Amino acid sequence: MAEASEPPLRILIVDDEAPARSRLRDLLGDISGEQPNLVAGMAANGVEALRLLETEAADVVLADIRMPAMDGIELARRLGALPVPPAVVFVTAYDQYAIQAFELEAADYLLKPVRAERLAATLARARGRLAARVPVPAPPQERRHLSIGERGRILLLPVADVIYLKAEQKYVTARTAERDYLLDESLVQLEQEFPRRFVRIHRNCLVAVAAVQGVERGGDAEGQWEILLAGLPERLPVSRRAWPAVKQVLGL
């Protein structure tokens, strides 16, 4: 059983059938007391999963094998090439892919229908594997500038000038008090590199902690919290999922 102090595993569910995705989500909720977890996202195939991972970090990917566009085997190959790959668990109705799965160093291979106790044991195993992983040495110090390719030249944007970073389609926009810049980097990479400088307020947005002037209830019926920014009139919405972490970082 996981210790109460252990952080929740971030889980990405990948299955082309909506009922199967819902069942896994419900099972994860049932075992959250034993194995703390949160669902980082759900995708219908490998292509959607990779797109989600551009803005959402995941510790464990629960993936079906037979899916359109990109199947689970190809998805596992792509994930294995990442600098910090998540643990992959195949969840399938077919047993003939087990050898391929373990050649790809899958954390487990579960046959549908999955039982709650079996899934809990799998997450415990994945947690142990992630804890035992040799960490990649961090650079001596974080970058002080971001490289911007613009009109045939390279601009150096001071990280300290960035008020927020927002993922939009294939690019990340870096907003300063003066203007926007386009970065050819993923939001997840930037979040991992600058964990003390930026806080995630939404799945597609990081805000510089130093640029936050305060928070205020929005004008919509749901009363969503919004970030007030120094140097900019615009307000940025905080998602319900991100709000607890934002409160903690800002000391609210």
Side-chain angles (χ1 to χ4, degrees):
M1 180 177 289
E3 296 292 336
S5 60
E6 286 187 313
L9 291 172
R10 296 178 59 83
I11 313 289
L12 174 61
I13 299 170
V14 190
D15 197 300
D16 61 327
E17 296 183 357
R21 295 194 297 270
S22 296
R23 172 169 167 73
L24 279 176
R25 182 191 58 204
D26 293 345
L27 281 175
L28 289 168
D30 291 343
I31 65 174
S32 60
E34 180 180 355
Q35 287 296 328
N37 70 82
L38 61 87
V39 176
M42 297 197 291
N45 56 58
V47 174
E48 288 186 12
L50 292 175
R51 192 174 296 134
L52 270 172
L53 288 171
E54 291 177 357
T55 56
E56 289 286 348
D59 302 306
V60 179
V61 175
L62 302 179
D64 192 10
I65 290 184
R66 291 189 179 180
M67 295 182 292
M70 182 188 293
D71 64 20
I73 296 294
E74 179 59 25
L75 172 61
R77 289 195 183 100
R78 301 283 188 93
L79 296 177
L82 295 176
V84 185
V88 176
V89 175
F90 289 108
V91 184
T92 178
Y94 307 95
D95 61 4
Q96 64 262 42
Y97 300 100
I99 293 177
Q100 284 179 276
F102 289 111
E103 285 176 348
L104 292 168
E105 298 185 350
D108 211 339
Y109 191 95
L110 305 180
L111 289 176
K112 299 176 180 178
V114 179
R115 293 177 293 112
E117 58 269 26
R118 182 75 171 84
L119 183 57
T122 292
L123 292 189
R125 186 178 301 110
R127 189 183 293 275
R129 173 181 289 200
L130 293 169
R133 186 167 54 191
V134 177
V136 178
Q141 60 184 93
E142 64 185 29
R143 284 181 291 170
R144 298 165 71 178
H145 297 84
L146 301 174
S147 297
I148 312 291
E150 192 174 87
R151 300 193 185 99
R153 57 181 179 169
I154 303 294
L155 303 179
L156 295 178
L157 172 64
V159 178
D161 290 352
V162 177
I163 296 174
Y164 67 78
L165 297 156
K166 184 177 288 188
E168 297 175 315
Q169 298 180 347
K170 294 183 179 180
Y171 296 94
V172 169
T173 298
R175 184 71 163 95
T176 69
E178 292 77 28
R179 53 167 288 198
D180 293 341
Y181 296 86
L182 289 182
L183 301 175
D184 191 15
E185 301 189 51
S186 79
L187 207 62
V188 168
Q189 290 173 333
L190 292 166
E191 181 181 26
Q192 291 173 347
E193 184 176 357
F194 304 102
R196 292 178 296 277
R197 185 176 291 273
F198 296 101
V199 59
R200 183 181 287 272
I201 66 166
H202 199 276
R203 68 177 184 81
N204 69 338
C205 187
L206 304 176
V207 171
V209 176
V212 176
Q213 279 195 323
V215 297
E216 188 171 276
R217 288 282 190 183
D220 60 355
E222 297 180 353
Q224 187 177 27
W225 287 101
E226 294 178 336
I227 296 288
L228 308 178
L229 300 167
L232 290 179
E234 65 183 293
R235 301 179 179 189
L236 299 176
V238 182
S239 71
R240 285 189 177 84
R241 186 166 68 187
W243 177 240
V246 171
K247 277 204 309 182
Q248 182 177 5
V249 170
L250 300 180
L252 301 176

